[in-house]
Amino acid sequence: MASEFFGEFMGTLILILLGNGVVASVLLKRTKAEGAGWIVITAGWGLAVMCGVFTAIACGSAGAHLNPAVTLGVAIETRDFSKLAPFAAAQLLGAVAGAFLVWLHFLPHWELTEDPSLKLACFSTAPAVRRLGANLVSEIIGTFVLVFVAGAIGSKAVAVTGPTPGLGPYLVGMLVWAIGMSLGATTGYAINPARDLGPRIAHALLPIHKKGMSGWDYAVVPIAGPLIGAAIAGILVKAIG
C-alpha cells in the first residue's frame, strides 16, 4: 500500500491532526491546555511537522513534502514538475482528513466555545492585523525561509551525503518551530497552502456549533503567499547550485 501519494496523504493528515490539535487545545474552552499560549502552539506545530515527515517517509514518500509550496520549490530547483499535481492533491486531501479528526477529537468543546473566530483558528489562519499586502509579504518571507533553509539542511555544502539518516525530520521540525516563534505571529504562519485550504474547507462543511463564516475573503493570502515564497526560494537554491 505504501506509495508517494499515500505517504503525502498520511503525513499531511498527521501534520494537521497534531498541528491544529495543539491550536484547539489552547483556544477551545475547558480543555486542560486552555490559554497555554503561543510558545505551546509553535512547539506543537514543530513537533507536528516532525511526526508528519516521519509518517510520510514510512508510508512511501521519501521526500515527505507535506506542502504544495515545498513541492513547487523542489520542482523549480530540479525542473521536474511531474509530482506537483499528484502531491498537492494528496496533501490537500490529507489536510481535510486531519481537520475532520481535529473536529471529532474536540467534539464537546465546540459548543462550549462561544467565539466563532476561535473555532475558525483551530482550522485555518488569520492575520493579527488585517492588511492583505503586509499579510502576503509575511507569508512569502516565512515560506521562503522554510524552503531555503530546508534546502540548506539537505545540501552537500552542509553534509556531503546529507543529514544522518533519521535526523532530517527533527531538523525540519525545529526549523518550523523557529519560523513560528520568530515570524509566525503576524499571520499565524500558514507557510503551506494545503495546511490552510484543507482545514478551511473542512470548517465550511462540518456541522460545528455556531461556527460563523469560514473567512474565504482572506484565503488567497495563505495560498498565494507560500507559493510565491517557495518559488523564490527554489530559484535561489538552483542559482546557488
Side-chain angles (χ1 to χ4, degrees), residues 102-188:
V102 170
W103 168 75
L104 188 63
H105 185 81
F106 290 92
L107 201 56
H109 298 272
W110 305 110
E111 186 173 355
L112 297 173
T113 305
E114 295 181 359
D115 187 345
S117 68
L118 295 181
K119 298 176 187 180
L120 178 59
C122 299
F123 291 86
S124 57
T125 62
V129 177
R130 187 185 174 88
R131 293 183 183 174
L132 296 185
N135 304 150
L136 182 68
V137 169
S138 290
E139 287 293 336
I140 290 171
I141 292 172
T143 313
F144 172 84
V145 172
L146 172 66
V147 176
F148 187 75
V149 176
I153 289 171
S155 69
K156 292 183 179 180
V158 173
V160 174
T161 59
T164 302
L167 181 61
Y170 293 100
L171 298 177
V172 174
M174 291 177 66
L175 169 59
V176 172
W177 189 10
I179 292 170
M181 289 191 292
S182 299
L183 305 174
T186 55
T187 61

Side-chain angles (χ1 to χ4, degrees), residues 73-89:
V74 171
I76 290 172
E77 179 190 354
T78 62
R79 295 185 179 178
D80 179 4
F81 290 83
S82 63
K83 295 181 180 180
L84 184 56
F87 272 32

